[in-house]
């Protein structure tokens, strides 16, 4: 399946907006995590995986979720942040997680369930990175499992569910008429129309 | 990403990215404090001698990270696993092992940041994307799309300011945090989508979406010194691992 130019630019632009949001979210995260600790601040994790469900839900192509998360992470690199390369690695892990959720359903199902699953799997794969690079394996098992649980729930709500709310609101404004999300919707409505017409 | 005029700035960006990511991957499997520290120190030396950093630049850029360094060290030392208790108070439990782990992870973070800085401070963004086309076989369609998208970052920032001022001038105040989020997010995203559509049409009209065998104004190549950089940095790191293990 080849990507059209406008789909490529849309994916990049949406990821860039998400990347800018990530940067802002990071500055919010540091003071909060200093007060209530990194485990508790894990509830804010979900926003960092929102790019994948947003872009995949609109464009509905294999690879969309992965590309979105990596591009959003790379915004930090492009803006010259020191965390750039590390953010890129995290983005690759989370992108693989998100992509898996849509791949399981062979890129056929894009509903609240798959979007939330993509948020959850991004949290799981993000935790694999934390184990490898940030030494989370050295924490006690309870701390580790609590953090993972909080991340998964946050990924499902702030990642998956919020992405659906945002995209559905955008669809109402009419700017998404040319993309897969509205095309499929129209196709479905047409099919239903014919059935009732019989 | 702003470039200086150092030796490192002349290294092929893809090659540089690849070498730094490889070093970072190696760092992930190293659990020794001494080796991790040395690999971080290597990055500092490269920056000073090949990357055109001055001592004051280095201190200014890395200073904020010493705070994070202490934070990471403390979290790992106080909440990590371990047997040989050194100090215990309330739920803090500092052990010999957890201090070691804390230092390793904190130096690893510092090394990640320094290798990242080494890359961003010596790489020009356009040259980097061009090198992704030539060396990593990224399709030009994606590469130009990426460049167009990155160009929008400052535009989005000014748009956000404009939104804020528009709200202010019309006396619009929203107490509800959720509604406030949507009142910023929806216009930002819709403007972004509209802009992306216009950009895509403009790019198609100028033939930027077409086949791979096109010509380029700027081309990047891999020279001997690029390979030399990759091999020597890896060799030094591996020798360090073997000697100090």
């Amino acid at each position: 399946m080849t990507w059209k130019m406008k789909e490529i630019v849309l994916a990049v632009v949406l990821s860039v907006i998400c990347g800018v949001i990530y940067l802002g979210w990071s500055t919010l995260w540091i003071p909060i995590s200093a007060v209530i600790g990194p485990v508790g601040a894990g509830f804010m994790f979900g926003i960092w995986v929102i790019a994948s469900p947003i872009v995949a839900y609109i464009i509905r192509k294999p690879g969309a979720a992965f590309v979105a998360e990596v591009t959003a992470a790379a915004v930090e690199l492009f803006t010259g942040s020191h965390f750039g390369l590390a953010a890129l690695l995290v983005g690759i892990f989370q992108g693989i997680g998100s992509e898996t959720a849509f791949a399981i359903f062979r890129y056929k199902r894009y509903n609240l369930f798959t979007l939330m699953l993509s948020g959850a799997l991004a949290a799981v794969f993000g935790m694999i990175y934390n184990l490898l690079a940030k030494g989370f394996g050295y924490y006690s098992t309870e701390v580790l499992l609590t953090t993972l649980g909080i991340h998964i729930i946050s990924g499902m709500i702030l990642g998956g569910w919020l992405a659906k709310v945002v995209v559905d609101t955008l669809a109402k404004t009419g700017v998404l008429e040319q993309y897969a999300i509205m095309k499929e919707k129209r196709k479905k409505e047409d099919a239903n129309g014919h059935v009732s017409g019989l | 990403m702003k470039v200086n005029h150092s030796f490192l700035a002349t290294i092929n960006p893809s090659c540089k990215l690849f070498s730094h990511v490889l070093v970072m991957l190696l760092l992930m499997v190293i659990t020794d404090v001494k080796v991790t520290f040395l690999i971080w120190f290597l990055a500092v030396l490269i920056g000073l001698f090949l990357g055109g950093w001055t001592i004051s630049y280095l201190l200014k850029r890395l200073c904020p990270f010493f705070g994070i360094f202490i934070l990471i060290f403390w979290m790992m030392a106080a909440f990590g696993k371990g047997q040989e208790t050194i100090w215990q108070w309330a739920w803090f439990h500092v052990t010999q092992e957890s201090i070691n782990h804390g230092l390793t992870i904190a130096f690893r973070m510092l090394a990640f940041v320094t290798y990242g800085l080494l890359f961003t401070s010596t790489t020009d963004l356009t040259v980097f994307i061009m090198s992704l086309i030539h060396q990593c076989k990224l399709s030009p369609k994606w590469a130009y799309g990426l460049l167009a998208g990155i160009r929008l970052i400052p535009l989005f920032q000014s748009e956000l300011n404009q939104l804020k001022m528009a709200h202010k001038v019309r006396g619009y105040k929203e107490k509800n945090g959720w509604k406030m989020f949507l009142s910023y997010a929806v216009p930002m995203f819709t403007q972004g989508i509209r802009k992306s559509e216009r950009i895509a049409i403009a790019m198609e009209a100028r033939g930027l979406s077409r086949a791979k065998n096109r010509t380029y104004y700027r081309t990047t190549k891999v020279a001997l010194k690029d390979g030399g950089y990759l091999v020597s940095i890896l060799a030094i790191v591996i020798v360090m691992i073997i000697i100090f293990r």
Side-chain angles (χ1 to χ4, degrees):
Chain A
M1 226 187 296
T2 54
W3 288 61
K4 286 184 198 137
M5 195 71 208
K6 67 176 180 193
E7 287 168 335
I8 292 177
V9 181
L10 179 75
V12 171
V13 165
L14 289 178
S15 314
V16 164
I17 297 178
C18 291
V20 173
I21 294 174
Y22 291 0
L23 277 174
W25 201 247
S26 305
T27 52
L28 257 179
W29 186 81
I30 291 171
I32 291 180
S33 75
V35 177
I36 58 174
V39 177
F43 79 90
M44 293 174 76
F45 166 83
I47 287 290
W48 280 300
V49 294
I50 202 173
S52 291
I54 285 184
V55 172
Y57 187 43
I58 295 177
I59 295 180
R60 309 197 169 184
K61 280 208 160 84
F66 178 72
V67 166
E69 193 59 46
V70 174
T71 313
V75 166
E76 274 193 59
L77 186 70
F78 297 145
T79 52
S81 154
H82 311 10
F83 271 124
L85 282 186
L88 192 68
L89 286 181
V90 185
I92 289 171
F93 273 86
Q94 288 172 349
I96 293 171
S98 290
E99 188 70 36
T100 315
F102 300 108
I104 290 172
F105 294 98
R106 298 178 173 219
Y107 305 102
K108 293 244 162 61
R109 278 180 61 184
Y110 289 91
N111 50 24
L112 188 59
F113 174 73
T114 47
L115 293 182
M116 283 173 104
L117 183 68
S118 110
L121 285 178
V124 173
F125 275 72
M127 190 52 79
I128 295 177
Y129 174 82
N130 286 342
L131 281 174
L132 287 173
K134 292 195 190 160
F136 272 38
Y138 297 141
Y139 286 128
S140 54
T141 321
E142 302 96 72
V143 174
L144 186 67
L145 287 180
T146 321
T147 316
L148 180 62
I150 293 174
H151 279 194
I152 288 178
I153 292 166
S154 173
M156 284 164 75
I157 294 171
L158 287 180
W161 178 77
L162 187 63
K164 190 170 187 325
V165 173
V166 168
V167 174
D168 285 345
T169 319
L170 290 178
K172 270 189 223 151
T173 67
V175 285
L176 296 176
E177 294 298 323
Q178 299 302 314
Y179 301 98
I181 173 174
M182 294 312 274
K183 277 186 188 161
E184 270 176 32
K185 203 176 167 198
R186 281 200 295 271
K187 219 186 263 171
K188 225 182 259 170
E189 276 166 8
D190 274 0
N192 289 341
H194 285 305
V195 171
S196 62
L198 284 168
Chain B
M1 293 199 268
K2 261 189 187 157
V3 218
N4 52 23
H5 299 281
S6 57
F7 169 76
L8 213 53
T10 63
I11 298 279
N12 183 288
S14 300
C15 199
K16 196 161 44 182
L17 180 74
F18 185 62
S19 350
H20 289 190
V21 169
L22 270 182
V23 173
M24 286 162 79
L25 292 178
L26 278 174
L27 272 168
M28 285 189 197
V29 292
I30 296 167
T31 50
D32 188 83
V33 183
K34 220 172 7 176
V35 178
T36 312
F37 169 79
L38 283 172
I39 294 175
W40 167 68
F41 197 65
L42 175 70
V44 173
L45 287 183
I46 294 175
L48 288 175
F49 290 108
L50 301 175
W53 294 355
T54 55
I55 299 278
S56 66
Y57 174 85
L58 180 71
L59 289 177
K60 209 169 68 192
R61 277 337 218 16
L62 286 186
C63 241
F65 290 94
F66 288 113
I68 299 180
F69 179 89
I70 291 166
L71 193 74
I72 289 179
F73 167 67
W74 168 245
M75 275 169 10
M76 208 41 98
F79 300 110
K81 284 186 285 197
Q83 303 295 326
E84 311 272 316
T85 307
I86 291 177
W87 185 70
Q88 198 166 8
W89 182 75
W91 56 84
F92 302 118
H93 184 217
V94 180
T95 61
Q96 191 68 53
E97 291 94 329
S98 68
I99 281 187
N100 252 331
H101 292 153
L103 277 178
T104 310
I105 299 300
F107 273 121
R108 189 184 293 171
M109 182 280 304
L110 210 56
F112 276 22
V113 167
T114 315
Y115 278 100
L117 184 61
L118 213 50
F119 182 77
T120 51
S121 68
T122 59
T123 308
D124 178 71
L125 186 58
T126 316
V127 177
F128 174 47
I129 302 279
M130 280 304 158
S131 133
L132 284 182
I133 297 180
H134 296 298
Q135 272 79 50
C136 302
K137 303 292 165 223
L138 180 72
S139 134
K141 220 163 139 181
W142 275 98
Y144 288 120
L146 210 58
L147 274 176
I150 295 161
R151 172 67 191 86
L152 291 180
I153 296 173
L155 239 64
F156 287 135
Q157 281 164 345
S158 67
E159 209 158 79
L160 190 67
N161 281 332
Q162 210 178 354
L163 260 174
K164 274 183 199 157
M165 286 192 281
H167 282 178
K168 204 173 168 188
V169 93
R170 287 170 178 77
Y172 174 79
K173 266 190 197 126
E174 185 63 64
K175 288 270 165 59
N176 186 334
W178 171 243
K179 276 191 181 154
M180 202 181 76
F181 170 75
L182 280 184
S183 77
Y184 282 110
V186 171
M188 287 287 286
F189 274 115
T190 45
Q191 293 287 12
I193 293 167
R194 287 210 187 95
K195 240 176 230 149
S196 80
E197 224 167 302
R198 264 177 274 143
I199 292 171
I201 292 168
M203 287 170 79
E204 261 173 4
R206 284 158 184 78
L208 284 165
S209 63
R210 249 176 284 134
K212 286 180 181 175
N213 47 354
R214 51 175 300 134
T215 53
Y216 299 92
Y217 176 63
R218 261 171 148 168
T219 49
T220 55
K221 287 192 182 70
V222 175
L224 200 61
K225 65 176 175 186
D226 303 318
Y229 178 69
L230 172 67
V231 171
S232 44
I233 196 171
L234 275 183
I236 296 172
V237 167
I238 288 169
V239 166
M240 277 178 182
I241 295 173
I242 292 169
I243 293 179
F244 294 102
R245 203 173 44 168

